[in-house]
C-alpha cells in the first residue's frame, strides 16, 4: 500500500533499486521478468536491487508466487494491496496511469530517476541502471 511503498523506497537507500510492477495476466510482464532477474543477478554485486510488486488480485496470489518461484526471483516480492489505486499510482509516479508493466528506477539516495511504462527496451533499462552504479 502507499505507506509500505514509501518504506520500501526508504529501506533501499544505498542501493540502486528497480521496482517493477507486473501481473500474471500481463503477457509483456511475464516475458520481461526472466530478463530482469538475469539483469539483477549480473549487477547485484555492484549494488543493484530488483523488487517486484504484483498487481494481481488476492485470488491470484498463488499463481503469482508460483510464477516467481518458477523463474527464481531472488529479490523482494510484494503484492499490491492499495485500497485506492489512483492514489497509489499517483504516489509512485503522477504520470503513471497504472498500466503494466511499469518499472521505476531509484538512485542510491532513494530518489526516483527514471520511469519505464509498458514494454521496455531492456538494453536502455540496463544502461540507465549502470549509469547509477
Amino acid at each position: 500500500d502507499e505507506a509500505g511503498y514509501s518504506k520500501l523506497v526508504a529501506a533501499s537507500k544505498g542501493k540502486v533499486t528497480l521496482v517493477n510492477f507486473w501481473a500474471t495476466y500481463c503477457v509483456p510482464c511475464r516475458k520481461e521478468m526472466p530478463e530482469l532477474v538475469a539483469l539483477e543477478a549480473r549487477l547485484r554485486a555492484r549494488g543493484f536491487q530488483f523488487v517486484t510488486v504484483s498487481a494481481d488480485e488476492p485470488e491470484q496470489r498463488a499463481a503469482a508466487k508460483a510464477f516467481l518461484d518458477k523463474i527464481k526471483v531472488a529479490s523482494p516480492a510484494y503484492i499490491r494491496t492499495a485500497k485506492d489505486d489512483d492514489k497509489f499510482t499517483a504516489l509512485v509516479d503522477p504520470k503513471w496511469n497504472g498500466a503494466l508493466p511499469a518499472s521505476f528506477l531509484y538512485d542510491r539516495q532513494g530518489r526516483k530517476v527514471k520511469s519505464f511504462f509498458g514494454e521496455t527496451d531492456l538494453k536502455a533499462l540496463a544502461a540507465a541502471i549502470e549509469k547509477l552504479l
Side-chain angles (χ1 to χ4, degrees):
D1 64 11
E2 295 88 349
Y5 189 79
S6 296
K7 288 178 188 173
L8 166 72
V9 171
S12 297
K13 284 186 181 173
K15 296 180 181 177
V16 173
T17 303
L18 182 72
V19 181
N20 174 257
F21 287 84
W22 70 285
T24 56
Y25 58 80
C26 169
V27 174
C29 299
R30 292 193 324 265
K31 181 181 165 203
E32 76 178 8
M33 189 68 72
E35 295 175 60
L36 294 172
V37 169
L39 182 65
E40 183 203 24
R42 185 168 57 87
L43 299 176
R44 184 181 312 130
R46 292 175 54 198
F48 175 61
Q49 173 179 267
F50 172 57
V51 178
T52 66
V53 181
S54 170
D56 284 296
E57 296 299 322
E59 57 272 11
Q60 293 298 325
R61 284 183 180 173
K65 183 179 180 337
F67 176 76
L68 294 175
D69 289 346
K70 178 181 170 189
I71 61 168
K72 298 178 174 45
V73 173
S75 60
Y78 300 94
I79 301 277
R80 179 191 46 78
T81 58
K83 291 177 179 54
D84 184 326
D85 286 339
D86 291 336
K87 282 184 182 175
F88 183 77
T89 57
L91 168 83
V92 176
D93 190 315
K95 295 177 184 167
W96 183 30
N97 67 3
L100 301 173
S103 294
F104 304 94
L105 182 60
Y106 294 85
D107 67 13
R108 293 181 190 273
Q109 289 73 42
R111 293 182 301 241
K112 183 173 47 183
V113 293
K114 192 148 180 67
S115 300
F116 301 88
F117 303 116
E119 291 187 64
T120 299
D121 175 355
L122 292 182
K123 286 183 181 173
L125 176 66
I129 292 166
E130 295 211 36
K131 271 185 172 178
L132 299 173
L133 292 174

